[in-house]
């Protein structure tokens, strides 16, 4: 891959990530709130028949509020602007993170093609995993600040911390290590990226094969091609998110300020003991609604820019 091609992938990945971050920011705030331990759970009482006398036993339990309940709470107590908490560091970080990711993915795919069968499943999985590892390692401080800002709850009219103030607070209270909280969970989440790109690249190859077999014989891409890529990306991300979602909840808990959560497995154990298995999937609906269109926007924007600028440089 030439230097010009690398810069092209950097630019295309950055543009795609920026567009997706702006459009889906409110859903990310809602998802983060649903994942946190500070979420106000609703007490419910269930009657279970299981005693020898046949009488019912009332067992108290707690249920997490839904996505729309959290949305209404944010609007009523904090105002519409809170739905865009963390957008600053997100915009600062999303362009370089996506740029780094797509450049690392394209570069590593070239290397893995020389080791495995070219453009095979192992190539896509290894390339996606390597790119995610590099991106998470470099960008975790930015995502840490973003999560802290999204978790901050202030009543309407009270000034909230900006990104610089939040970063300063993290440094003063936790030091440099504080910026890398949740990194182990991000590494665990590499599996989601690998699954996503394996499915996406497989569907992308099948779409390309169908195009070659079509009777039209056209060589240039049209709108229907990019719609197909958007649907492929949405399906791939949806499947990957459902499979690997628990790491997101653990990562959010690790990034909470002054929390009892210290390490990946310790956090997973505490969440399971105190809240049950279902807690690992809190916020999944918001995640799917956010991530599926976001991934579709990011990948299709990336493919479109690579196609447009790539064809002009040939």
């Amino acid at each position: 891959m030439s230097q010009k091609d690398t810069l092209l992938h950097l630019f295309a990945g950055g543009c795609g990530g920026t567009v997706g971050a702006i459009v889906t920011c409110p859903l990310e705030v809602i998802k983060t709130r649903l994942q946190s331990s500070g979420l106000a759970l609703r007490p419910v009482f269930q009657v279970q028949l299981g005693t020898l006398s046949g009488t019912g036993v009332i067992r108290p339990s707690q249920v997490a509020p839904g996505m729309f309940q959290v949305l209404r709470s944010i609007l009523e107590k904090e105002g519409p602007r809170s739905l865009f908490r963390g957008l600053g560091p997100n915009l600062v970080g999303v362009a370089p993170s996506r740029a780094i990711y797509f450049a690392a993915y394209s570069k590593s795919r070239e290397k893995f093609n020389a080791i495995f069968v070219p453009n095979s499943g192992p190539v896509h999985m290894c390339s996606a995993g390597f790119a995610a590892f590099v991106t998470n390692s470099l960008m975790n401080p930015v995502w840490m600040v973003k999560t802290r800002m999204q978790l901050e709850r202030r009543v309407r009219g009270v000034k909230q911390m900006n990104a610089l103030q939040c970063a300063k607070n993290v440094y003063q209270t936790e030091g440099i290590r504080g910026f890398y909280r949740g990194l182990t969970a991000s590494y665990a989440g590499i599996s989601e990226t690998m699954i996503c790109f394996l499915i996406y690249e497989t569907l992308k190859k099948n779409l390309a094969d169908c195009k070659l077999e079509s009777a039209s014989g056209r060589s240039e891409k049209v709108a229907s091609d990019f719609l197909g890529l958007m649907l492929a990306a949405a399906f791939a991300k949806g499947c990957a998110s459902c499979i690997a979602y628990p790491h997101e909840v653990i990562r959010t808990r690790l990034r909470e300020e002054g929390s009892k959560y210290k390490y990946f497995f310790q956090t997973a154990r505490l969440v399971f003991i105190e809240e049950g298995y279902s807690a690992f999937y809190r916020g999944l609906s918001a995640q799917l609604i956010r991530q599926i269109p976001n991934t579709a926007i990011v990948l299709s924007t990336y493919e479109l820019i690579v196609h447009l600028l790539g064809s002009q440089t040939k």
Side-chain angles (χ1 to χ4, degrees), residues 236-257:
K237 189 61 179 181
C239 292
S241 294
C242 290
I243 294 171
Y245 184 75
H247 88 273
E248 292 240 6
V249 175
I250 296 173
R251 183 173 60 194
T252 296
R253 299 295 180 94
L254 285 168
R255 289 174 176 173
E256 291 178 350
E257 185 175 6

Side-chain angles (χ1 to χ4, degrees), residues 231-282:
L231 293 174
F235 178 79
K237 189 61 179 181
C239 292
S241 294
C242 290
I243 294 171
Y245 184 75
H247 88 273
E248 292 240 6
V249 175
I250 296 173
R251 183 173 60 194
T252 296
R253 299 295 180 94
L254 285 168
R255 289 174 176 173
E256 291 178 350
E257 185 175 6
S259 71
K260 57 190 173 184
Y261 306 109
K262 305 300 180 184
Y263 308 104
F264 182 86
F265 290 108
Q266 177 252 5
T267 301
R269 181 173 177 273
L270 277 178
V271 172
F272 178 75
I273 292 174
E274 297 177 353
E275 303 172 51
Y277 182 75
S278 61
F280 289 109
Y281 288 91
R282 288 208 328 229

Side-chain angles (χ1 to χ4, degrees), residues 41-166:
L41 302 179
R42 293 187 294 109
V44 297
F45 297 92
Q46 298 175 335
V47 177
Q48 296 183 353
L49 296 175
T51 61
L52 294 175
S53 61
T55 58
V57 178
I58 299 177
R59 296 178 181 270
S61 61
Q62 293 180 317
V63 176
M67 183 175 64
F68 292 105
Q69 291 172 306
V70 173
L71 171 62
R72 185 173 63 183
S73 176
I74 293 174
L75 292 175
E76 290 177 353
K77 298 178 181 179
E78 304 174 47
R81 291 185 62 183
S82 287
L83 291 173
F84 290 89
R85 292 289 295 159
L87 181 58
N90 211 0
L91 290 179
V92 169
V94 72
S97 70
R98 292 296 182 180
I100 292 168
Y101 182 89
F102 281 108
Y105 178 78
S106 299
K107 199 75 174 179
S108 60
R109 185 174 60 182
E110 186 179 273
K111 300 296 183 182
F112 285 119
N113 274 333
I115 301 174
F116 302 107
V117 177
N119 296 318
S120 61
V123 170
H124 299 314
M125 291 186 70
C126 292
S127 300
F130 175 78
F133 178 83
V134 173
T135 305
N136 290 335
S137 300
L138 294 176
M139 301 304 300
N140 197 79
V142 178
W143 305 145
M144 168 65 184
V145 172
K146 178 195 70 173
T147 302
R148 281 288 176 87
M149 292 180 68
Q150 291 174 342
L151 290 174
E152 183 186 16
R153 291 174 171 85
R154 296 288 178 90
V155 297
R156 187 190 294 264
V158 176
K159 188 176 181 181
Q160 297 176 316
M161 288 191 300
N162 58 37
L164 290 177
Q165 290 171 330
C166 184

